[in-house]
Amino acid sequence: MGERIVIAGIGHTAFGSLPGRSTVSMTVEATANALADAGVERDVVDALFVKPPTSFSETLYGAKIAEALGLKGLGISGAWDQGGAANISLVNFASYALAAGQCKVAVIGFADNPKTGSRATYARARNAEDNLFGWYSTMAYFALFARRHMLQHGTTPEQLGHVAVTIRGNGARNPAAQLQRPLTLDDYLDGRMVVDPLRRDDCALISDGGAALVLMTEKTAAEVGVERPVPILGFGQGLTSPSRPDLTRTGLAVAAASAFAMAGLRPSDIDVAQFYDCFTPTVITAIEDCGFTAKGTGGRFVEEGRIALTGDLPVNTSGGLLSETGMPGMQLIVEAVRQLRGTANLQISGARKALVTGQGGAMQTHSAMILGQ
Amino acid sequence: MTPKLPEAPDPAVEYWQNLSEGRLTFGRCRQCDHAWLPVSRECPSCLAADWRFEASTGDAVALSWVVYNHAYNDLWADRLPYVVALIELAEGPRLMSNLVGDFDPTQLRIDHPVRLVIESEGDTAVPRFVPIEQVPEDGDTT
Ligand SMILES: [Zn+2]
């Protein structure tokens, strides 16, 4: 890519119920926090990349955010429709624009309010035909995927439970998390089966909130005196076809391979990972598709405690989507930055390289990014 | 100005019409022989718009399935629990459908064989699938 790009600032709103707050307002708050964190003025921002909300869609949403942020004379502005894979993809596009000198300071922002606003989008029939089969909800897609993983690889409910217990345990120790209640494996197994084989505690939270990042070249960061820049080492994107021969393999394999190749690193180099945990089975398949373990052995990997804070691959150290906030992915990038700055709440000692993944829709879109010192 | 040919009908309309006549059909490409669902104007394999409807034999397997214990829509509230499955027809195309009939979902196996039944949902003929009872490999029938 040429010039090295850094995440210079991170910011977010409170997570949970934020009644009456529009997505525009929350994006402005998060961006102001990220700019303050980077130590730069709003007026130096010349590019804005927005991930649109999940709960509604609006044409030219990026232009609306730019106006609310008072950004005049932007070179680049717009929104990228890729579900929860979009945050990392926006880092991808912003990085190339910065490296090419097309912009100097880029903001990436997201906010949504499904908790106090409308959450109809999460339970909708995707098309009229789905009503004929009762084929509703995002959760059901992941349940279908989890069942196949269980049938094909012997993955167990207890292994899914270990994902939930581990990440909920991390969230319980995060004072900013929306859900700070730890979970035992017995609690998990006793939880209501919603769409079998997935239970209540397999699901991400529904949350209001916003988050933002400030990106610039390493050179600019040095010039303007950014205190704790975190370099972006590699990224990638991938798409999963519903007609793929092996249903348990996803496009994250392509995204992660791209990120590792760009960074010149291997899975064993990663000190901490923030996996997109919208539902517990995605963590198991992400561990496999990113190359930490062979396909089919992700369940055993988590059962052996390897994703715990004391394991060789601590994951979702601030509680992820299952516990910190159901926000689709920005919190994972924010936590990876904190880990590499050495300022995380549950700091992994000596963390130098962090992997973050993103995913959208029903596992169609994927992204991966490696940050590191 | 060249007069426009009339637009071809939406292939989905013919798909549902075929079901009402008792046939589950899919797209079969005349150029590359690819078979697919849901039907679309262009073959997703070679992009040619040169294909025909072919009727499935109705033999299929369930690649995966879920059991709804929660009704996301009132339409399905009185049918709980019900099973939605990803079906792969013997000819290759995949579709979302239901597993119906008298069976125990906990006894289903990977790639469980299923057989097409066409049911009525109001005025619509809907393709659903009945699991075929398995004879264990040791020959015992249970
Ligand atoms: Zn073709």
Side-chain angles (χ1 to χ4, degrees), chain A residues 80-114:
Chain A
W80 181 244
D81 169 26
Q82 203 182 41
N87 309 293
I88 290 171
S89 299
L90 292 174
V91 171
N92 176 160
F93 302 137
S95 295
Y96 282 118
L98 289 160
Q102 195 182 3
C103 55
K104 197 161 181 193
V105 178
V107 164
I108 297 171
F110 169 78
D112 202 359
N113 54 5

Side-chain angles (χ1 to χ4, degrees), chain A residues 132-134 136 144 147-148, chain B residues 64-65 68 82 98 111 128:
Chain A
L132 295 172
F133 304 106
Y136 304 112
L144 191 79
R147 170 94 61 204
R148 182 70 197 188
Chain B
S64 190
W65 55 90
Y68 279 75
Y82 67 90
N98 300 112
D111 299 333
R128 293 195 171 120

Side-chain angles (χ1 to χ4, degrees), chain B residues 28-34 36 43-48 50:
Chain B
R28 173 73 77 181
C29 184
R30 289 194 179 96
Q31 299 290 326
C32 76
D33 206 43
H34 182 61
W36 77 96
C43 165
S45 179
C46 74
L47 310 187
D50 180 19

Side-chain angles (χ1 to χ4, degrees), chain A residues 53-73:
Chain A
T54 310
S55 58
F56 66 92
S57 65
E58 190 174 300
T59 304
L60 291 175
Y61 181 73
K64 186 175 176 177
I65 299 292
E67 185 65 20
L69 281 167
L71 295 171
K72 317 281 184 209

Side-chain angles (χ1 to χ4, degrees), chain A:
Chain A
M1 196 161 56
E3 276 233 66
R4 201 142 85 142
I5 309 303
V6 300
I7 297 181
I10 52 175
H12 59 83
T13 64
F15 301 135
S17 292
L18 303 174
R21 294 291 301 279
S22 70
T23 62
V24 174
S25 154
M26 291 186 287
T27 306
V28 171
E29 181 190 341
T31 302
N33 290 342
L35 291 167
D37 181 60
V40 297
E41 298 297 324
R42 186 267 320 265
D43 290 344
V44 302
V45 176
D46 55 1
L48 175 68
F49 298 82
V50 179
K51 170 180 158 22
T54 310
S55 58
F56 66 92
S57 65
E58 190 174 300
T59 304
L60 291 175
Y61 181 73
K64 186 175 176 177
I65 299 292
E67 185 65 20
L69 281 167
L71 295 171
K72 317 281 184 209
L74 280 183
I76 298 174
S77 74
W80 181 244
D81 169 26
Q82 203 182 41
N87 309 293
I88 290 171
S89 299
L90 292 174
V91 171
N92 176 160
F93 302 137
S95 295
Y96 282 118
L98 289 160
Q102 195 182 3
C103 55
K104 197 161 181 193
V105 178
V107 164
I108 297 171
F110 169 78
D112 202 359
N113 54 5
K115 187 159 179 68
T116 57
S118 169
R119 66 180 71 167
T121 187
Y122 296 99
R124 72 190 186 281
R126 282 170 167 74
N127 55 64
E129 289 173 20
D130 292 342
N131 283 315
L132 295 172
F133 304 106
W135 178 230
Y136 304 112
S137 88
T138 304
M139 183 182 196
Y141 277 96
F142 290 87
L144 191 79
F145 183 86
R147 170 94 61 204
R148 182 70 197 188
H149 206 278
M150 291 170 152
L151 291 164
Q152 199 169 317
H153 303 301
T155 303
T156 65
E158 287 77 9
Q159 290 169 345
L160 296 179
H162 274 285
V163 174
V165 168
T166 302
I167 296 175
R168 286 277 297 277
N170 295 346
R173 295 166 64 188
N174 173 3
Q178 179 178 333
L179 182 57
Q180 298 176 29
R181 198 170 63 240
L183 182 75
T184 67
L185 193 55
D186 285 341
D187 291 339
Y188 169 84
L189 292 168
D190 289 344
R192 186 168 63 90
M193 196 73 96
V194 183
V195 182
D196 187 345
L198 294 188
R199 294 167 166 80
R200 180 196 59 199
D201 292 312
D202 288 305
C203 299
L205 305 177
I206 304 260
S207 313
D208 300 340
L213 311 172
V214 177
L215 269 63
M216 56 186 75
T217 63
E218 196 164 44
K219 188 159 160 274
T220 304
E223 280 167 12
V224 302
V226 171
E227 283 181 18
R228 295 171 297 185
V230 170
I232 298 161
L233 304 181
F235 40 69
Q237 301 180 38
L239 187 71
T240 305
S241 163
S243 58
R244 64 197 181 280
D246 182 350
L247 286 169
T248 68
R249 290 179 189 272
T250 79
L252 180 56
V254 174
S258 163
F260 278 114
M262 193 184 293
L265 296 172
R266 294 175 303 168
S268 57
D269 295 318
I270 299 298
D271 301 309
V272 59
Q274 312 295 332
F275 290 122
Y276 196 88
D277 56 337
C278 53
F279 297 92
T280 55
T282 66
V283 174
I284 289 176
T285 57
I287 291 168
E288 297 167 348
D289 288 335
C290 291
F292 291 98
T293 189
K295 178 54 67 183
T297 62
R300 207 156 65 230
F301 190 97
V302 303
E303 200 164 39
E304 288 168 354
R306 297 178 67 180
I307 64 168
L309 293 172
T310 51
D312 56 318
L313 186 69
V315 308
N316 299 27
T317 42
S318 59
L321 280 72
L322 292 171
S323 191
E324 183 176 33
T325 164
M327 172 185 287
M330 282 286 265
Q331 76 278 39
L332 303 177
I333 302 174
V334 168
E335 172 65 2
V337 168
R338 288 189 297 240
Q339 285 288 349
L340 296 170
R341 286 176 173 178
T343 61
N345 181 52
L346 296 177
Q347 180 64 42
I348 301 304
S349 169
R352 303 272 300 164
K353 304 282 185 291
L355 172 71
V356 190
T357 68
Q359 184 218 266
M363 283 202 181
Q364 291 106 319
T365 56
H366 299 266
S367 55
M369 173 165 67
I370 298 168
L371 304 176
Q373 302 289 358

